[in-house]
Amino acid sequence: MALLNDFLRLFGLVVAAVVLVMLLTGLFFEVMNRRHPERRIQKDRVNRRKWKELRQAPISILTLSACFAFGLFAQEQGWSLTPLELGWWSGPLTLLLSVVLYDAWFYWVHRLLHGRVFYRFHALHHKSVAPTVWSNHHESFVEALLNQAYYAIIVFILPIPWQMLVLQKLYDQISGMLGHAGFEHFASPAGRSPWPLASTVFHDQHHGTFRFNYGHTFSLWDRWMGTLHPRYDDTLKSFEPSGGEAAKPASPTPSERR
């Protein structure tokens, strides 16, 4: 019983932290989007489902919090690999490795969710064709579990210090909401070829066409597997300061639709 109580306390702390970060990040982008309407990516579509998206958020938040709390708890109880002592090299190295591993996990889980058998668990998320910052948690229990199970498993594979795992989850939460913001505020050459990073345009195109851009932090898997949107680099470039006024994305061609 004491073990359960300890886990529940950690779980509650994680839930509170996730909700706080979600609200602060969401409000930040709500203000940014209102100030810069010209940065809208899908200029011909408006998402009016914001409150419906938020109603689904508790299921997503509770699921991801349980997975993340279990990973931290497993480390604390000595069930997992003994984490490296946090140092100037161990922290950044394990964090980088974990981010790279999670991107691979996310890409292939995402591809699985778009398959015929599992798409029914992902269809709810894709009701938001033009996503908003709140679309990040508009997902089913099964989808949330598949995406976030990584945090319950990685501690048995990588001896990552708990501080770096917390930092990664913070990044994951903010970047996930950034990817769904619907407005490209931070376009830069680092988000397009030959650089590996993704962007808000990257995930927005996934929602708009369904068949491209399955990655999370990097575009590498999509480039390697031939699932990168054919106009991704050019569209992102149009939002960069040197690209002039953000170009209106062309309507998806038949081959780009699901």
Side-chain angles (χ1 to χ4, degrees):
M1 183 61 70
L3 204 62
L4 178 60
N5 288 336
D6 289 344
F7 174 76
L8 290 177
R9 278 194 290 269
L10 178 59
F11 172 66
L13 182 62
V14 172
V15 170
V18 170
V19 170
L20 178 62
V21 172
M22 180 192 74
L23 292 176
L24 291 177
T25 304
L27 292 174
F28 171 79
F29 282 110
E30 287 283 3
V31 172
M32 288 285 286
N33 294 350
R34 289 178 186 275
R35 289 183 176 180
H36 300 282
E38 76 281 2
R39 310 303 293 178
R40 182 188 296 276
I41 299 169
Q42 297 186 49
K43 301 186 188 302
D44 57 341
R45 288 171 172 159
V46 177
N47 187 327
R48 304 188 188 281
R49 307 182 68 256
K50 187 178 301 182
W51 295 112
K52 291 183 179 179
E53 293 175 343
L54 282 171
R55 283 203 298 268
Q56 187 68 19
I59 292 175
S60 172
I61 291 171
L62 291 173
T63 305
L64 74 87
S65 297
C67 291
F68 185 68
F70 176 82
L72 291 180
F73 195 67
Q75 274 195 340
E76 182 183 352
Q77 296 300 317
W79 302 338
S80 65
L81 294 179
T82 302
L84 296 174
E85 184 178 350
L86 182 63
W88 67 268
W89 67 270
S90 60
L93 177 61
T94 54
L95 176 61
L96 177 61
L97 284 173
S98 190
V99 169
V100 170
L101 288 172
Y102 181 69
D103 197 67
W105 174 284
F106 186 90
Y107 177 86
W108 289 107
V109 165
H110 203 172
R111 291 290 300 271
L112 178 70
L113 286 167
H114 275 261
R116 181 174 300 178
V117 174
F118 283 88
Y119 187 73
R120 66 182 182 273
F121 302 118
H122 192 45
L124 177 65
H125 188 65
H126 272 292
K127 286 186 177 181
S128 301
V129 179
T132 74
V133 68
W134 308 107
S135 303
N136 188 51
H137 291 297
H138 190 230
E139 59 184 352
S140 69
F141 164 73
V142 173
E143 178 176 357
L145 182 62
L146 288 174
N147 283 330
Q148 301 299 322
Y150 172 88
Y151 289 99
I153 296 171
I154 190 59
V155 294
F156 297 92
I157 300 170
L158 183 68
I160 182 171
W162 70 266
Q163 298 93 332
M164 295 297 98
L165 201 59
V166 169
L167 188 59
Q168 182 182 356
K169 192 69 197 82
L170 177 63
Y171 161 77
D172 182 29
Q173 178 67 32
I174 295 173
S175 64
M177 297 185 74
L178 169 64
H180 290 89
F183 292 67
E184 182 55 80
H185 297 291
F186 306 109
S188 79
R192 55 185 172 85
S193 181
W195 304 102
L197 295 178
S199 64
T200 304
V201 164
F202 181 84
H203 196 67
D204 198 277
Q205 286 180 331
H206 174 75
H207 275 260
T209 61
F210 298 95
R211 296 182 61 244
F212 300 98
N213 302 3
Y214 295 94
H216 181 265
T217 296
F218 306 110
S219 62
L220 292 176
W221 280 104
D222 287 284
R223 294 184 190 277
W224 292 336
M225 302 307 297
T227 54
L228 185 74
H229 191 288
R231 294 196 298 274
Y232 167 63
D233 286 331
D234 289 339
T235 302
L236 180 61
K237 186 176 181 179
S238 73
F239 282 93
E240 294 171 20
S242 60
E245 183 180 356
K248 178 179 180 179
S251 299
T253 64
S255 65
E256 293 171 350
R257 296 184 183 277
R258 178 167 57 91

